[in-house]
Amino acid sequence: MKFSIGYQLPEPDQQPFADLVADYRQQVEEVYFPWVGMASGRADISTTRGYTDWSTQQRLEADLLALRRMGLKLNLLFNANCHGGLGVSEHLQNQVLSVLDHLAETVGGADVVTTASPAVAHIIRQHIPQLHLRASVNMRIGTVAGMSQLADLFDSFYVQRDYNRDLTVLRRLKTWADKAGKAIHLLANSGCLAFCSSQTFHDNLVAHERDVDETRNIPDWTPTACWRLLKDPNNWPMIMQATWIRPEDVGHYEPLVGMMKLATRMHANPRLVIDAYARGQYRGNLLDLMEPGYGPALAPIVIDSRRLPTDWFQKTSSCGRICESCDYCRLALNGALVHGEQEP
């Protein structure tokens, strides 16, 4: 399995991100990255609460050049869930094309653009038709109908993560994609709850994070469903019912997808994640691999995935997610919970 990993801007005293990637060059196919000052599926990499690190673009471009020299593909993100009133504007069109023109001049161009916006896809298809376009996982496309409706805009699709463990669905999507000349990919280590009812709300908040951070918001309320729910241990089985794929289970997906995405843009330890999936195994707290990672919600208790039942993959990839009448994940979680001091 090859991996697409998310760019993380290192602190000035840390090693360049390209040096980290070089250690796993054989397993990494591409690096995905946002552009400075633009909304995306995560926080702006250059500005926090109005303070801008003006060295960001220079350091980003230096890393992109180094990655290009390694022969890696560069995947530019325009994956914000909302562009506000500019969502279908000529302003957005000019902004997108100017970024792509600049990348062509400085680092040899982008190889892929991942977007959650059909408008952005249309802009690029009209002006740079040869550029590979990929539908963002935030679009929640998990059906043949969904892919076929956008087949004129996209060359590949991140599958709605809620279907990561439904091999029947994945095989069906793969069959259609092969016939249509498309490709499907999966996000392996999302910590998001399955079929999260708050995902659209949360993704829109992130797209407007710069404004949200500067606003007096509702006190003593958590806008993300997961952190609110996990305050109650009775809801912890939701973690097991989520969408993540263990490093040990990646091999089962090789007939279906040629590349998996690893969420590392905001992860506290991207090397930990890349190393675990590159090796196909992990000894430690399973929660530490995820983004978001729920380690603080369960601390000092951790989840040791080696203690999961031997039929974990077979069961969870064929169960149909009838969770309301099944105890399997709750029992599996109980067997895998250990106190932090016992962590391997």
Side-chain angles (χ1 to χ4, degrees):
M1 182 66 70
K2 298 291 186 178
F3 298 100
S4 175
I5 61 174
Y7 178 81
Q8 185 172 132
L9 185 73
E11 297 297 325
D13 59 343
Q14 293 177 331
Q15 69 172 149
F17 189 78
D19 290 353
L20 165 60
V21 177
D23 292 341
Y24 302 95
R25 175 62 189 87
Q26 297 307 309
Q27 290 82 23
V28 177
E29 181 170 327
E30 66 174 34
V31 173
Y32 59 94
F33 63 98
W35 194 245
V36 178
M38 291 190 68
S40 72
R42 291 290 186 271
D44 184 353
I45 64 173
S46 63
T47 301
T48 303
R49 300 299 299 270
Y51 187 88
T52 297
D53 179 351
W54 297 105
S55 72
T56 297
Q57 183 165 326
Q58 180 182 6
R59 290 191 286 145
L60 170 62
E61 290 180 8
D63 268 332
L64 294 179
L65 274 172
L67 295 168
R68 171 70 74 201
R69 294 188 188 106
M70 290 182 212
L72 289 162
K73 294 179 181 178
L74 302 180
N75 182 348
L76 172 63
L77 301 178
F78 290 123
N79 65 335
N81 226 43
C82 180
H83 294 278
L86 299 176
V88 292
S89 66
E90 290 187 355
H91 178 99
L92 177 63
Q93 174 172 279
N94 292 335
Q95 189 176 33
V96 166
L97 294 177
S98 70
V99 172
L100 288 167
D101 285 345
H102 180 74
L103 285 172
E105 294 170 0
T106 55
V107 300
D111 300 289
V112 182
V113 168
T114 295
T115 183
S117 165
V120 170
H122 166 77
I123 291 165
I124 295 171
R125 193 56 94 212
Q126 291 293 308
H127 293 270
I128 315 176
Q130 73 277 12
L131 186 54
H132 186 104
L133 286 164
R134 186 173 302 153
S136 168
V137 70
N138 294 338
M139 297 184 78
R140 305 175 90 170
I141 299 172
T143 63
V144 168
M147 293 194 298
S148 61
Q149 291 162 11
L150 296 172
D152 61 324
L153 294 179
F154 292 104
D155 302 295
S156 60
F157 300 83
Y158 281 120
V159 176
Q160 183 176 343
R161 58 192 133 196
D162 311 288
Y163 295 109
N164 280 4
R165 297 184 189 168
D166 193 326
L167 297 187
T168 299
V169 168
L170 295 180
R171 292 188 188 105
R172 184 180 177 191
L173 299 182
K174 166 72 169 173
T175 298
W176 179 89
D178 286 346
K179 291 180 179 178
K182 310 293 183 181
I184 60 172
H185 305 290
L186 302 178
L187 170 56
N189 65 320
S190 172
C192 291
L193 303 181
F195 298 99
C196 178
S197 303
S198 296
Q199 182 184 331
T200 300
F201 169 74
H202 187 202
D203 285 344
N204 285 339
L205 275 183
V206 173
H208 296 284
E209 188 169 84
R210 184 175 295 184
D211 295 331
V212 172
D213 281 349
E214 299 301 331
T215 303
R216 179 178 293 178
N217 298 308
I218 300 170
D220 303 321
W221 184 66
T222 303
T224 50
C226 49
W227 288 102
R228 178 171 53 83
L229 288 166
L230 295 178
K231 293 176 182 179
D232 182 354
N234 290 320
N235 292 325
W236 289 0
M238 290 182 180
I239 296 173
M240 310 305 289
Q241 297 159 356
T243 68
W244 45 266
I245 298 168
R246 292 188 306 172
E248 293 83 355
D249 295 328
V250 165
H252 295 290
Y253 293 88
E254 289 180 357
L256 298 169
V257 297
M259 183 177 66
M260 281 189 175
K261 174 182 178 179
L262 300 180
T264 54
R265 287 175 62 193
M266 302 296 291
H267 198 279
N269 190 345
R271 179 180 289 275
L272 177 80
V273 176
I274 299 168
D275 186 76
Y277 282 91
R279 293 176 181 272
Q281 61 179 0
Y282 178 63
R283 294 171 59 91
N285 185 4
L286 182 63
L287 299 173
D288 291 342
L289 293 180
M290 301 175 195
E291 187 185 297
Y294 300 122
L298 274 66
I301 296 172
V302 303
I303 300 176
D304 181 356
S305 66
R306 296 177 306 160
R307 299 183 179 222
L308 293 177
T310 56
D311 65 346
W312 167 258
F313 177 80
Q314 288 72 23
K315 179 69 174 179
T316 57
S317 62
S318 60
C319 64
R321 287 192 173 275
I322 309 176
C323 302
E324 66 274 14
S325 59
C326 176
D327 263 353
Y328 181 85
C329 284
R330 182 182 63 80
L331 295 173
L333 174 65
N334 289 342
L337 292 177
V338 297
H339 284 277
E341 59 269 18
Q342 297 175 275
E343 183 179 352

